[in-house]
Amino acid sequence: MTALVLTAHGSKDPRSAANVRAVASRIALLRPDLDVRIAFLEQNSPNLVDVLGGLPDVRKAVVSPLLLASAYHARVDIPKQIVRAGAHGARQAGVLGEDDRLVSVVRERLAEVGVCARDCEVGVLVVAIGSSDRAVNARTATVAAKLAAETRWAGAATAFVTGPQPSVAQAADRLRSRGARRLVVAPWFLGPGRLPDRVQAFAHHEGVAMAAPLGAHRLVAETVLDRFEEALAGPAAAA
């Protein structure tokens, strides 16, 4: 049985781990033929090294990052832990990235807080975790453009809650300068946690609505499975 090891960063906030478990449950329902397991890089257990060490055959394992961006944790941390586990023959799937299906989930979340594509007064503030890698941030910034396509919004802008500019406040000011009379925050986060709470505090202070994160939506699970299948067709992560 092939193992899909759904690997998240980990958080001190229990809601984050609960969301990981919910995504794993979705995946298991979609693919009952897979041995779906959960692992974390830090903060939570079980650790990725321990999970890989407990598999009967790591050559049938795919480490599937539950991460949006191909930043440090995907490029450095996961490969290091695969090697540390001695998981020779294991594969590593790609991150979820700026997949169109995930963008459609954000649209759903925005609709849930009353955002209409025809509203020319609304400005959508896409808030994500920043990276020290400019190329990663540039890819993340494409989400706002995808969201705004074929809408009449006053605009959509990207902000980073950590790291690079623009900050959430700076991006909000830019949208207002472009004519947005009503702002709505669209979090580019997989689940709840401390950083989304920081964004929520800003939204509350500014009196603007904030949509829910991506969560355990079916399309999140489907995107994980697509990356899993791509990895199965490729070379092993550690040989």
Side-chain angles (χ1 to χ4, degrees):
M1 200 175 195
T2 304
L4 186 158
V5 184
L6 188 67
T7 305
H9 176 267
S11 170
K12 292 181 180 179
D13 191 318
R15 296 172 299 167
S16 178
N19 185 68
V20 177
R21 289 192 292 270
V23 174
S25 295
R26 280 272 197 183
I27 294 169
L29 286 172
L30 291 170
R31 289 289 302 274
D33 58 308
L34 296 177
D35 177 10
V36 181
R37 304 200 183 197
I38 295 171
F40 298 93
L41 298 173
E42 56 183 68
Q43 307 282 0
N44 301 108
S45 60
N47 180 267
L48 176 58
V49 173
D50 295 333
V51 172
L52 290 174
L55 293 175
D57 188 353
V58 293
R59 293 171 298 179
K60 293 183 178 180
V62 176
V63 177
S64 296
L66 190 60
L67 301 170
L68 289 170
S70 184
Y72 175 84
H73 296 295
R75 296 198 314 266
V76 179
D77 204 4
I78 289 178
K80 278 186 176 180
Q81 294 201 26
I82 290 174
V83 172
R84 182 178 158 203
H88 305 297
R91 289 170 167 79
Q92 179 180 340
V95 298
L96 304 185
E98 300 73 39
D99 194 282
D100 288 344
R101 287 165 295 192
L102 303 185
V103 175
S104 72
V105 176
V106 178
R107 290 195 187 99
E108 284 189 33
R109 301 302 188 217
L110 287 169
E112 291 167 0
V113 293
V115 175
C116 171
R118 299 183 301 277
D119 189 343
C120 59
E121 295 188 346
V122 73
V124 173
L125 190 58
V126 180
V127 184
I129 298 173
S131 170
S132 58
D133 189 323
R134 292 183 180 181
V136 171
N137 296 328
R139 288 193 293 271
T140 300
T142 63
V143 173
K146 289 182 177 184
L147 276 175
E150 300 181 9
T151 72
R152 297 177 60 188
W153 298 341
T158 304
F160 297 104
V161 69
T162 60
Q165 293 182 342
S167 66
V168 182
Q170 289 170 332
D173 288 343
R174 291 178 188 178
L175 284 173
R176 290 188 177 106
S177 69
R178 289 159 59 181
R181 297 185 180 182
R182 180 168 71 97
L183 297 183
V184 178
V185 175
W188 186 243
F189 290 93
L190 284 161
R194 294 188 173 189
L195 290 179
D197 281 355
R198 189 188 304 178
V199 181
Q200 181 66 71
F202 169 85
H204 179 75
H205 181 267
E206 295 291 313
V208 303
M210 177 169 161
L214 296 169
H217 195 284
R218 174 181 56 82
L219 293 178
V220 174
E222 288 184 2
T223 305
V224 172
L225 285 169
D226 271 6
R227 302 294 181 267
F228 167 83
E229 293 294 346
E230 291 165 0
L232 278 182

